[in-house]
Amino acid sequence: RPNLFILDQVCSRFSVYRYPGLLMASTSSPYFQSEDSTKKSAASRGANSKSQNRKRRSQPVPIAYEESVGEAADELVAAAPAPAKWEAQLANIKLMRADKSAPVDNMGCHTLADGAAEPKTFRYQVLLSLMLSSQTKDEVTAAAMARLRRHGCTLDNILATDNAELGRLIYPVGFWKKKVDYIKRASQALKDSHSGDIPDSVAGLCSLPGVGPKMAHIAMRCAWDRLTGIGVDTHVHRIAARLGWTKKAKEPEDTRKQLEAWLPREHWSEVNQLLVGFGQQLCTPVNPRCSDCLNKAVCPSAKLSKAKISKSETV
């Protein structure tokens, strides 16, 4: 260990006033520290090194959403390997859905807005149809939208309609009382903050009462003709898990992120309608028709007994 007298002489010789860093470097040197502090310092450096290595190993490779016109990337999605048999599974689903005979094909939200209406009104109707569709069968949503259009489905007219009348028009959609409140509050926000139009971004749409990511991504595609992500409802959430396309996805938003991490972007626009119709006709929540499914040889859930189909899939 250095003698303090010698150190003082060295510092004087080299003038610590001209080279102040010399004294700082000397006193911070591990040779100048006590044995205990030296051990603690070494342990701390080792722990930090291990922590940094773990972070480097676990940090996902970010892949930005493709930018839409005039819109920055919405979020980063971590890349992930694709499931082994997804291409065969998707091809089989397309074959089974070729006739487009499911309710979503004829009564889905993309069919319910008035294409001849003024653009702002058309986009507003797309948004309303999506808000009504949550936890509601397509047939019920389509009937409610038909009543709204006969009543006059414009922003100003809906705002002028009292809550009781609006409730009668949309009943019996799921949670219709809450939806009356959501529709009124969202409509007022559009009038006050968005010049009477719906927002042109996922973040803006999700800021509206009663609008979540699934609705926002579908609205962006149907109302603005811009692909921002995959719309995931209970059908997509359930079927993706059964096919082995997701792992331990607890919520639809978890499913969306996992799908977007590996599914090629060219399939994003079609996968919602494909899987929703498939879920309505074959891969139903209860008693799925596995024996009639072209994927029975490549689906990891095809051999499950009815008792093993999770009750959570019936939501």
Side-chain angles (χ1 to χ4, degrees):
R1 299 183 184 279
N3 186 291
L4 292 178
F5 175 77
I6 296 174
L7 179 62
D8 182 63
Q9 295 300 311
V10 171
C11 291
S12 299
R13 178 74 58 88
F14 289 97
S15 180
V16 296
Y17 299 103
R18 291 177 59 191
Y19 305 101
L22 177 62
L23 182 57
M24 293 177 63
S26 300
T27 55
S28 63
S29 169
Y31 294 106
F32 198 74
Q33 297 174 8
S34 68
E35 186 174 346
D36 289 341
S37 62
T38 301
K39 290 180 179 179
K40 290 179 181 179
S41 177
S44 176
R45 286 196 301 273
N48 289 338
S49 177
K50 290 179 181 179
S51 176
Q52 290 172 358
N53 287 337
R54 281 196 299 269
K55 287 180 179 179
R56 281 195 291 269
R57 285 195 298 269
S58 64
Q59 188 171 5
V61 178
I63 297 180
Y65 275 115
E66 181 178 313
E67 291 190 11
S68 301
V69 179
E71 180 181 13
D74 289 305
E75 61 180 299
L76 297 178
V77 177
K85 301 175 182 179
W86 76 271
E87 290 176 292
Q89 292 167 333
L90 184 59
N92 285 336
I93 292 173
K94 288 182 179 181
L95 285 175
M96 291 183 281
R97 293 276 290 111
D99 62 356
K100 297 187 182 300
S101 59
V104 69
D105 298 312
N106 304 306
M107 291 174 282
C109 297
H110 63 289
T111 69
L112 302 181
D114 182 4
E118 189 266 337
K120 284 186 178 182
T121 297
F122 168 76
R123 291 190 286 267
Y124 177 66
Q125 291 180 5
V126 168
L127 180 62
L128 287 195
S129 68
L130 286 164
M131 294 177 73
L132 294 176
S133 71
S134 177
Q135 300 294 313
T136 305
K137 291 184 178 296
D138 287 333
E139 297 89 339
V140 177
T141 301
M145 277 302 297
R147 291 191 293 273
L148 285 177
R149 285 178 58 177
R150 287 194 296 270
H151 172 73
C153 194
T154 64
L155 178 64
D156 289 335
N157 198 38
I158 294 299
L159 284 172
T161 303
D162 64 58
N163 288 8
E165 176 63 16
L166 185 57
R168 284 191 290 270
L169 289 168
I170 69 172
Y171 180 84
V173 299
F175 303 100
W176 64 273
K177 291 182 180 179
K178 282 189 176 181
K179 289 177 182 177
V180 167
D181 177 58
Y182 288 152
I183 288 171
K184 279 300 192 71
R185 288 165 53 203
S187 297
Q188 192 63 55
L190 298 182
K191 187 176 183 67
D192 294 342
S193 305
H194 299 279
S195 303
D197 206 347
I198 72 170
D200 62 352
S201 70
V202 170
L205 287 163
C206 287
S207 71
L208 299 173
V211 178
K214 180 207 81 170
M215 299 180 200
H217 286 299
I218 296 177
M220 288 298 296
R221 180 169 56 83
C222 295
W224 292 107
D225 194 26
R226 285 157 59 180
L227 181 62
T228 56
I230 298 171
V232 177
D233 68 349
T234 54
H235 289 294
V236 179
H237 180 59
R238 176 182 72 253
I239 294 167
R242 287 181 178 176
L243 291 171
W245 289 4
T246 58
K247 295 179 180 179
K248 298 180 180 179
K250 295 183 179 181
E251 302 292 339
E253 186 64 0
D254 299 328
T255 294
R256 179 187 70 81
K257 292 176 180 179
Q258 290 191 33
L259 289 178
E260 291 177 5
W262 63 263
L263 185 67
R265 193 180 178 88
E266 59 263 28
H267 298 295
W268 288 13
S269 63
E270 64 180 351
V271 72
N272 174 272
Q273 191 171 339
L274 279 173
L275 295 189
V276 170
F278 181 53
Q280 290 173 335
Q281 295 181 310
L282 280 172
C283 198
T284 51
V286 180
N287 299 329
R289 294 165 51 192
C290 295
S291 60
D292 298 327
C293 181
L294 297 180
N295 276 328
K296 59 188 174 184
V298 291
C299 176
S301 301
K303 295 180 181 179
L304 291 179
S305 67
K306 294 177 183 178
K308 289 185 178 179
I309 297 295
S310 169
K311 289 183 179 181
S312 64
E313 294 178 352
T314 65
V315 175

